Amino acid sequence: MDTTTVPRTARPSPRALTLLAVGATALALTAAAATPLNPAPRQARADGQRTLTVAVSQSVDSLSPFLAQRLVSTTVHRLIYENLTNYDAKDNHAIPGLATKWEPSPDKLTWTYTIRENSTWSDGKQATAEDAAWTFNTMMTDEGAATANGSFVANFKKVTAPSPTKLVIELKKPQATMAALDVPILPRHEWEKVGDYARFNNDKKFPIVGNGPFILTDYKVDQYVKFKPNQKFWRGAPKFDELVLKYYKDGDAAVAALQKGEVSFASNLTPAQAASLAKAKNIKVNDAPGRRFYALATNPGARSKDGKKFGDGHPALLNPKVRQALFAATDRKTIIDKVFQGHAVEGQGYIPPRFSAYHWKPDADQRIAYDPARAAALLDEAGYKKNKAGKRVGKDGRPLDFRILCHATDPNDKAIGKYMQEWWGELGIGLKVDCLDNVSDPWLAGEYDLAFDGWSVNPDPDFVLSIHTCAALPSTPKDTGATDNFICDKKFDELYAQQTAEYDQAKRADLVKQMQSRLYDTGYMNVMAYPNAVEAYRTDQIRAITTMPESGGNLWGQDGYWSWWSAVPAEVDDTSGGSGSSTGLVIGIVTTVVLAAGLVVFVATRRRSTAEDRE
C-alpha cells in the first residue's frame, strides 16, 4: 500500500553503516553548500511567469478522488476541488468550504447544508447542491467510486438536493463526522459521463474542471503536476502564476534543486539535509511536530469480504506471541536517537501526540518495551526455538525468516531495516529487506510478511481508524479495498461503530483510546515513532506562506490548501491585502456556522506511499 519502508548489509555492523551513511550525506551537502548554490532567485521564468515549484517524492496513484489514496494525490484534489467544509489554518476547527453552513435535526439523523452561490466550476458552470448529491450518491451506489472514501458514506441513508443551494443528508444513525466529510465534490456534468469509476483515473483530458483555488492544467507520470490559479475562486486567487509539483525519486536530488533555486520547496528532509540547509542563504527550514506515525505492520493473513484468503504472508505471524516478540526486539529509542536524530518522538499509540484529545499511551503493565530476553522467551513459548546453528525453527523445521516491504526512496526505512536485521538476527530470526519503488502492488496482493507503515492523521481520527475495520477489506481478492493491512477484528469494529455515533467529545475520545488499546494488544501494528515535519523553502522565492496549525505547523500535506494558496512571491508587495498571508498568520474568514451543541469535529485522512507517508 502506500506506507513507508526498508534495508540490508554485511560487515561492518548496521549501526556503523548507518552512521557512515549519515556522515557521508552531511559531507556531500556541506560541500555542495560551499559552492555557489544560491544564485539569483528563479521564481520567474523567461516569460515573466512567477512559478512556485514544490519537490515531491511520491507518485500520484490516481487523479480520480474516487480512487486516490496517496498523500500527494489527495493534496492535488484539495487544490482543485472543494469539500463541503474546510479546516481553519489556525486551529483546525471546521469552517465553510462549498457549504456556508450546516445544521443537524434534533435527533441528528438529518443534516442540512447551505451551498454557496459564488462557487463556479472552471468551465463557467455554477457549482450546486446537485453536484454534491450526485457525488455522494455515486459513492453510495458504485463500489468503484467508494474505493478511497467509502467510509464517509457507509452510514448515509439518502442524499437529496431540494434546490441548487440546499443539500440534505439523511443518516441511518448519528454520525459524528458530518462537519468533517473529507470528500471532494465533483462536477456532475463532467463525471456522469464516466463508464467505470473503478478504472477511470481522470488523467487524459486537461485542464481538469474543478472549483478549488487551482486548475490542474497538465500531468506527466512521475514527472510533474502543473496548475494555474483559478481567478474566479470565491476565496480569492493564488498569487503565483503557476504551481508545479515536480517529482524527484532521490531526496538528495530534490535538496540540490532547492539549493540551486530550481525548486521553491522540499519536504521529508533527513537530519543531515536539514542541518546543511539551515546554514544556507535564502533558505528557511521548518521543523514542526508531525501529524503522522511511523510503524511496523505485520500481515495478519490477507483476506477479502467474501472470506477468501490470498497472499503469502508468513503463518508464524498469526501467532500473537511471535508478533509481540518482534516488537520487544525493536529498540524505539535507538530509532529516535540514531535514525531520526531527535527529529521525532518515540511511538506509543496510533494517534500522534499532536492531537492530544485522542492520543493514547499504554500503561506500564501493557507496554511492550525493548527487551531481547523477553522476546527470546516469547519465541520459545510460541514453539520457535534455536537449533544448533542458532536459527529459530518451527516444529515443521521451517526457519523463522521474514520479508519486510521498504520504500526504496526512504532513507529512514533503510536505516531502521539494518538495525532490525541486527536485533532480530541475534534472536535467530532472518530478515530480508525488500526496498521497492512500488510497494503498493505486493501490499495489495498480500505478498509480504511485514512492512514499514505510515499515515498522516487529521484532527478527527475517524478515517485512519476505519482502515482497520472489516468493512475496509476488498470485496474479492481481485478488488482494491480501503484496508491498510487486512486487519479484521470484531471488538475493534464494535468500538469503531460506537465512536462514529458518539457526539459527546469526551466519551468519543475515550472510545478512540480503547480502539488504540485494542490495536496495540492484537499486535498487528507497532508504532515506532512520530516523525517531525522537516521541510524547507526558499525565502527569495516565497516571501510569506501559511503553516497549519498556526503555531508550529507544517506546510506540506496540510488538511486544507492554505500553504500553496497563501504563498506570496518574494517580489510581491502584499501590503494592499489579498489571498497571501505570512507564516502562521490566521486566514480571516467571517462566517456563520451552525453546529450541534458541543460538537467539535474536524477531519479524517487518507493514505500512504513513499518516503513520507500514506494519506
Side-chain angles (χ1 to χ4, degrees):
M1 290 303 216
D2 190 350
T3 70
T4 1
T5 345
V6 312
R8 116 202 73 249
T9 196
R11 306 298 102 168
S13 73
R15 288 182 175 82
L17 286 172
T18 299
L19 293 173
L20 283 170
V22 170
T25 302
L27 285 172
L29 288 172
T30 302
T35 62
L37 281 178
N38 294 286
R42 297 181 52 163
Q43 71 268 23
R45 302 189 322 208
D47 58 5
Q49 285 265 87
R50 295 171 304 191
T51 300
L52 172 58
T53 304
V54 175
V56 299
S57 59
Q58 205 175 36
S59 299
V60 171
D61 54 345
S62 178
L63 290 180
S64 166
F66 289 146
L67 304 177
Q69 300 174 329
R70 295 180 180 174
L71 180 61
V72 67
S73 309
T74 55
T75 295
V76 167
H77 295 142
R78 286 189 177 104
L79 297 176
I80 64 175
Y81 301 113
E82 280 268 69
N83 298 348
L84 289 179
T85 60
N86 208 321
Y87 310 94
D88 186 78
K90 181 179 180 180
D91 60 9
N92 293 312
H93 76 270
I95 61 173
L98 181 59
T100 59
K101 63 180 181 179
W102 46 96
E103 186 173 14
S105 60
D107 62 4
K108 298 182 177 64
L109 291 177
T110 301
W111 285 72
T112 302
Y113 298 79
T114 300
I115 303 301
R116 67 175 59 256
E117 298 181 20
N118 61 338
S119 178
T120 58
W121 299 110
S122 52
D123 61 2
K125 291 183 171 60
Q126 180 74 25
T128 70
E130 181 57 39
D131 293 305
W134 179 87
T135 299
F136 291 128
N137 279 311
T138 301
M139 293 169 62
M140 292 163 61
T141 57
D142 188 292
E143 199 167 272
T147 299
N149 298 309
S151 64
F152 287 113
V153 301
N155 183 44
F156 286 13
K157 181 180 179 181
K158 185 179 181 181
V159 182
T160 57
S163 75
T165 59
K166 185 178 181 180
L167 175 73
V168 179
I169 300 178
E170 298 177 38
L171 305 173
K172 300 172 187 175
K173 60 184 179 180
Q175 181 169 323
T177 61
M178 295 305 289
L181 298 175
D182 198 17
V183 177
I185 303 303
L186 302 176
R188 176 176 182 171
H189 62 281
E190 285 287 320
W191 282 78
E192 65 182 353
K193 307 170 187 175
V194 174
D196 186 352
Y197 293 108
R199 298 179 180 276
F200 180 68
N201 282 313
N202 196 30
D203 57 0
K204 298 294 186 292
K205 179 183 175 183
F206 301 100
I208 290 176
V209 176
N211 63 339
F214 291 90
I215 299 170
L216 200 163
T217 58
D218 197 10
Y219 164 67
K220 289 288 185 296
V221 176
D222 287 348
Q223 293 185 46
Y224 60 75
V225 187
K226 293 183 178 181
F227 310 81
K228 68 178 182 180
N230 181 356
Q231 299 297 338
K232 296 180 179 179
F233 183 52
W234 67 270
R235 212 185 287 272
K239 289 187 177 296
F240 275 89
D241 299 312
E242 183 181 46
L243 170 66
V244 179
L245 304 186
K246 188 175 181 180
Y247 178 78
Y248 287 88
K249 180 179 178 180
D250 180 74
D252 286 338
V255 169
L258 179 71
Q259 291 171 315
K260 295 174 183 177
E262 294 172 352
V263 301
S264 316
F265 173 91
S267 62
N268 197 43
L269 304 178
T270 66
Q273 290 168 342
S276 175
L277 291 173
K279 301 173 185 177
K281 182 181 178 183
N282 297 326
I283 292 179
K284 178 178 176 59
V285 174
N286 184 45
D287 188 350
R291 54 181 282 249
R292 63 177 294 256
F293 64 78
Y294 184 93
L296 177 64
T298 63
N299 184 344
R303 51 182 158 167
S304 51
K305 289 178 185 175
D306 61 7
K308 294 181 180 178
K309 297 180 179 180
F310 57 96
D312 59 3
H314 200 298
L317 292 172
L318 300 179
N319 189 323
K321 289 185 177 181
V322 173
R323 299 194 297 266
Q324 291 168 9
L326 296 181
F327 297 166
T330 302
D331 187 354
R332 295 181 183 87
K333 188 175 187 305
T334 292
I335 289 171
I336 299 301
D337 294 343
K338 301 298 184 182
V339 179
F340 289 101
Q341 297 182 41
H343 296 272
V345 176
E346 187 174 336
Q348 298 178 92
Y350 194 63
I351 308 298
R354 173 164 159 175
F355 308 110
S356 57
Y358 297 109
H359 180 59
W360 169 88
K361 36 176 104 166
D363 58 36
D365 294 335
Q366 185 180 17
R367 184 170 181 265
I368 301 175
Y370 176 56
D371 187 344
R374 175 62 178 155
L378 284 167
L379 290 170
D380 287 340
E381 292 173 18
Y384 292 93
K385 298 185 177 182
K386 282 187 176 181
N387 61 17
K388 293 181 180 179
K391 284 285 298 179
R392 294 274 174 182
V393 294
K395 293 178 181 179
D396 58 359
R398 181 180 176 180
L400 208 54
D401 291 329
F402 297 120
R403 305 156 298 168
I404 186 167
L405 281 176
C406 152
H407 292 89
T409 56
D410 192 344
N412 294 327
D413 284 3
K414 296 175 182 178
I416 294 170
K418 290 171 184 175
Y419 276 115
M420 288 168 59
Q421 284 178 319
E422 180 180 290
W423 295 328
W424 295 5
E426 292 171 356
L427 287 173
I429 298 172
L431 180 64
K432 178 185 178 183
V433 180
D434 289 330
C435 291
L436 308 173
D437 290 334
N438 174 18
V439 302
S440 292
D441 288 346
W443 193 304
L444 291 169
E447 296 171 353
Y448 68 100
D449 300 325
L450 304 111
F452 289 108
D453 196 358
W455 283 76
S456 291
V457 179
N458 290 6
D460 188 288
D462 181 82
F463 182 88
V464 82
L465 294 171
S466 76
I467 60 178
H468 294 308
T469 61
C470 300
L473 294 174
S475 295
T476 72
K478 294 182 179 181
D479 295 314
T480 299
T483 186
D484 179 23
N485 60 324
F486 305 102
I487 293 174
C488 178
D489 177 74
K490 183 178 179 181
K491 179 61 177 176
F492 186 88
D493 274 20
E494 290 173 353
L495 291 167
Y496 176 76
Q498 291 177 50
Q499 69 82 30
T500 300
E502 182 55 70
Y503 281 87
D504 182 286
Q505 197 68 10
K507 291 180 180 179
R508 184 170 182 236
D510 181 66
L511 288 166
V512 169
K513 291 175 182 178
Q514 290 182 50
M515 294 178 70
Q516 295 178 76
S517 178
R518 178 65 179 174
L519 199 59
Y520 188 91
D521 288 342
T522 56
Y524 294 120
M525 297 281 291
N526 176 20
V527 177
M528 299 184 288
Y530 308 115
N532 287 5
V534 187
E535 51 199 9
Y537 66 91
R538 292 198 65 94
T539 56
D540 54 2
Q541 295 187 18
I542 302 173
R543 184 172 70 78
I545 192 168
T546 299
T547 57
M548 183 179 188
E550 177 188 32
S551 178
N554 56 290
L555 294 167
W556 172 251
Q558 293 182 354
D559 299 310
Y561 40 64
W562 309 119
S563 51
W564 317 124
W565 172 77
S566 71
V568 179
E571 79 281 10
V572 169
D573 179 5
D574 195 39
T575 56
S576 60
S579 63
S581 64
S582 61
T583 302
L585 186 63
V586 182
I587 299 173
I589 301 168
V590 180
T591 181
T592 302
V593 181
V594 182
L595 290 172
L599 175 62
V600 183
V601 290
F602 307 121
V603 67
T605 46
R606 241 34 350 117
R607 303 255 171 163
R608 62 266 182 188
S609 178
T610 68
E612 10 185 33
D613 59 4
R614 313 142 77 122
E615 154 140 8

